[in-house]
Amino acid sequence: VQLQASGGGLVQTGDSLKLSCTASEGHISPYSMGWFRQTPGNERDIVAAISWGGGYTYYDESVKGRFTISRDNAKNTVHLQMRSLKPEDSAVYYCAAANYHDYAPRIFHGEYAHWGQGTLVTVSS
């Protein structure tokens, strides 16, 4: 599966932004999906993940209550709705697909086999 992330941009503190991840080739339905983010000099960290069936989600503590991950298998798309954005949310955001077909969202970088190209989110103070 080939993934395309979009929706990043420059926003102000407190604003909202919705990221989308679409499969340009293949389908997301067989995969657990996740969003990661990375800042210069740091590792790529999990932000949110959603299970294969969509029934279970995971959020990093830093975004819990502000971000929502969702998937629409019919549209071959995963979204990350981000609210109450903070400067520390600024990063390149990556969507990824993990080849697991169970109830558990996947939260480890090594579990993901397919990655999108990243979309930059900048939150100004």
Side-chain angles (χ1 to χ4, degrees):
V1 64
Q2 290 197 2
L3 303 172
Q4 298 276 354
S6 62
L10 173 63
V11 296
Q12 295 185 332
T13 298
D15 283 352
S16 298
L17 206 57
K18 187 174 185 178
L19 305 183
S20 298
C21 175
T22 302
S24 57
E25 288 188 21
H27 298 275
I28 68 166
S29 53
Y31 299 94
S32 296
M33 301 296 295
W35 284 96
F36 289 72
R37 64 187 179 188
Q38 187 174 25
T39 53
N42 294 309
E43 294 186 352
R44 199 171 293 186
D45 295 325
I46 184 75
V47 174
I50 188 165
S51 61
W52 167 59
Y56 296 90
T57 55
Y58 167 86
Y59 297 96
D60 181 75
E61 208 56 46
S62 64
V63 306
K64 206 173 280 187
R66 299 187 298 122
F67 290 13
T68 303
I69 188 171
S70 62
R71 66 188 298 160
D72 186 339
N73 287 346
K75 294 183 179 180
N76 227 7
T77 301
V78 177
H79 295 292
L80 184 69
Q81 177 68 58
M82 305 185 294
R83 298 182 177 85
S84 302
L85 283 162
K86 306 175 182 180
E88 51 263 44
D89 294 318
S90 297
V92 177
Y93 283 71
Y94 297 89
C95 64
N99 194 16
Y100 290 90
H101 312 299
D102 55 21
Y103 67 90
R106 299 294 159 172
I107 65 172
F108 298 107
H109 182 281
E111 295 180 299
Y112 286 83
H114 307 280
W115 293 84
Q117 84 286 5
T119 185
L120 177 63
V121 173
T122 305
V123 185
S124 64
S125 57

